[in-house]
Amino acid sequence: MEKFQESMYKLIVETSTNLPKDVRRAIAAAKIRENAGTRAAMSLDTITKNIKMADDNVSPICQDTGLPTFKIKVPVNVNQIEMKKAIKKAVAEATSDTKLRPNSVDSITGENSGDNLGEGTPVIKFEQWENDYIDVRLILKGGGCENKNIQYSLPAELEGLGRAGRDLDGIRKCIMHSVYQAQGQGCSAGFIGVGIGGDRTSGYELAKEMLFRSADDVNSNENLRKLEEYVMENANKLGIGTMGFGGETTLLGCKVGVINRIPASFFVSVAYNCWAYRRLGVKLDPATGEIQEWLYQEGEDVDFDKMKEEAAAALEEKTEVRQVTLEAPITEEQIRELRVGDVVTINGMMHTGRDAIHKYLTDHDAPVDLNGQIIYHCGPVMAKDGEGNWEVKAAGPTTSIREEPYQGDIMKKFGIRAVIGKGGMGKKTLQALGEHGGVYLNAIGGAAQYYAECMHKVEGVDLMQFGIPEAMWHINVKGFTAVVTMDSHGNSLHQDVENSSLEKLAQFKEPVFK
Ligand SMILES: O=C(O)C[C@H](O)C(=O)O
Ligand code: SF4
């Protein structure tokens, strides 16, 4: 088994940087469905460009490399204790090589362990089997989509859909609702794994297990096959679209599994995975630990480069989008000029700030003058170059809604004019944008390579005690592009899409599976 650690390192690097073929095909199909020039088409263009960049740079597709979760099947007589140790070493090594972001945080003190190791991380689960090879599967599922997982206890009353009973039709309603409630916050278009039955724990376990199925397999259970097909056909009619911008594709895959339950409980558990669906697997020789075969890599590959050229040609014909360039410090007048739908290109300084920073800034001074400045909701992957200077390795936006309790007050307190994030914010922030003169800019979630490329100089860092993802990085950017989705005139694209998708959800109220 001398090669096992090396094989695990390869599996981690490939999973983080190279999206599997079945996922690429699903994204390519979505791209073909969108009309050129729409926000959804432009977002998918950025996404496919990012996938290609991650390939070329061998760098994380998304900066949030999640909670590494390994599922392993072993023949009897394989030493699981040694395998666990080797996996942990491989995880630490991949973290120090910036293929994984340091993501293991003490839940009480907030301290980041720095190497992805800690109580409960990574997750490693073993099962014995009678085959003569080892099967290791890895999923890197980020926090934004994990937060959109949902568990229903039937019977339930669901917004838009009415009563969901303890039958196949009730399950259908839960799944449709799960897609609606995620909106764009889990970086749609997403993939869902659904677990029917079990208890609260085993139900979610099954839902996540479903994410290990191939995107294009067919369910052998006839009822579940019909259910999966129904969801795939109808969830896209919700019109949530890529990043919640509206559009033809909201869901890229739906896999449903079932286990028995106990009489009093009836759970439907849904695991939501973003488009950056990073899961791979390998078959290993149990004697040497060497990789014999890569999984999820069968079938046709997609040439995103060719698709990009076609999209660029189509885009040139559509020029009605207003383009604005901004550089901090930004004035209130400049902000009040902006309207939902404008595309903003940023040059100059921006400052990262996410969960820990927002909490901190409520009762502390800012380490730098934020007047007229731009805050970027982002937890980057960073590395030091040969001369000890920080370099951005991956830096897409994080889900902004978590900062909703703080954002408006902090913008007013420090004079911040623009926040960049993804998934949108709520009523409190929208009101503050109007009162203070602020704007919310939506960047494309998961496009970590695409944005890292615009970040040409790290000018400094403060509050490093919060760990790399949560520190405040001061970054000089060139050509950072985002869309205005909430403006100072009370407009919110997120609110509009949520309202219209709720109306559309109501068309699925009538029973389908009797
Ligand atoms: O933690 C992050 O960088 C992003 C997170 O996965 C999110 O989607 O909000
Ligand atoms: S930022 Fe988006 S793409 Fe990245 S892990 Fe979070 S949900 Fe997924």
Side-chain angles (χ1 to χ4, degrees), residues 62-64 101 142-145 185 187 354 378-379 396-399 402 422:
C62 174
Q63 76 289 336
D64 185 0
R101 186 177 71 184
C145 59
Q185 290 169 3
C187 292
R354 48 180 293 166
C378 169
T398 192
T399 321
R402 298 193 307 270
K422 58 119 171 159

Side-chain angles (χ1 to χ4, degrees), residues 62-202:
C62 174
Q63 76 289 336
D64 185 0
T65 52
L67 168 55
T69 301
F70 294 84
K71 293 244 173 172
I72 308 171
K73 291 184 176 140
V74 289
V76 276
N77 294 331
V78 168
N79 187 333
Q80 299 180 9
I81 297 170
E82 289 304 319
M83 286 172 79
K84 238 184 197 172
K85 281 187 198 155
I87 289 175
K88 286 185 178 172
K89 280 191 194 153
V91 164
E93 193 188 341
T95 311
S96 99
D97 291 349
T98 65
K99 308 301 180 191
L100 293 176
R101 186 177 71 184
N103 254 5
S104 178
V105 178
D106 185 305
S107 295
I108 307 295
T109 65
E111 197 184 327
N112 192 315
S113 71
D115 58 4
N116 268 311
L117 305 182
E119 224 32 77
T121 58
V123 173
I124 306 171
K125 288 191 174 141
F126 286 98
E127 201 182 303
Q128 278 190 336
W129 69 357
E130 285 174 347
N131 291 328
D132 62 356
Y133 62 89
I134 300 173
D135 179 305
V136 185
R137 305 201 181 207
L138 169 63
I139 188 161
L140 300 173
K141 183 175 188 294
C145 59
E146 182 67 14
N147 292 348
K148 297 320 287 186
N149 291 0
I150 187 164
Q151 191 166 57
Y152 300 90
S153 175
L154 295 181
E157 226 24 79
L158 302 176
E159 352 159 49
L161 293 167
R163 181 156 321 133
R166 292 184 151 199
D167 51 27
L168 201 55
D169 205 61
I171 295 163
R172 172 189 71 86
K173 287 187 177 179
C174 293
I175 303 174
M176 292 300 288
H177 184 269
S178 74
V179 178
Y180 158 74
Q181 63 85 42
Q183 290 292 306
Q185 290 169 3
C187 292
S188 55
F191 293 80
I192 52 173
V194 181
I196 304 169
D199 62 6
R200 286 202 185 270
T201 314
S202 61

Side-chain angles (χ1 to χ4, degrees), residues 354-420:
R354 48 180 293 166
D355 310 67
I357 298 289
H358 280 77
K359 182 167 179 286
Y360 176 90
L361 290 180
T362 51
D363 46 14
H364 291 82
D365 279 341
V368 293
D369 183 7
L370 292 175
N371 201 18
Q373 297 294 314
I374 304 165
I375 289 285
Y376 183 25
H377 296 158
C378 169
V381 178
M382 305 295 284
K384 273 199 172 149
D385 67 13
E387 283 144 32
N389 300 315
W390 286 106
E391 215 184 320
V392 184
K393 288 292 190 184
T398 192
T399 321
S400 303
I401 197 70
R402 298 193 307 270
E403 318 317 336
E404 179 67 7
Y406 311 107
Q407 195 67 78
D409 296 340
I410 282 174
M411 288 184 88
K412 289 178 186 169
K413 179 174 169 188
F414 295 101
I416 295 162
R417 289 286 170 212
V419 293
I420 312 170

Side-chain angles (χ1 to χ4, degrees), residues 9-46:
Y9 180 83
K10 282 187 190 156
L11 175 63
I12 296 165
V13 175
E14 282 297 296
T15 310
S16 176
T17 63
N18 184 354
L19 217 51
K21 279 192 198 165
D22 61 337
V23 176
R24 288 172 192 249
R25 285 194 295 267
I27 293 173
K31 199 157 184 250
I32 289 164
R33 277 196 295 270
E34 299 295 347
N35 289 323
T38 59
R39 271 191 288 271
M42 288 192 275
S43 310
L44 279 162
D45 196 39
T46 303

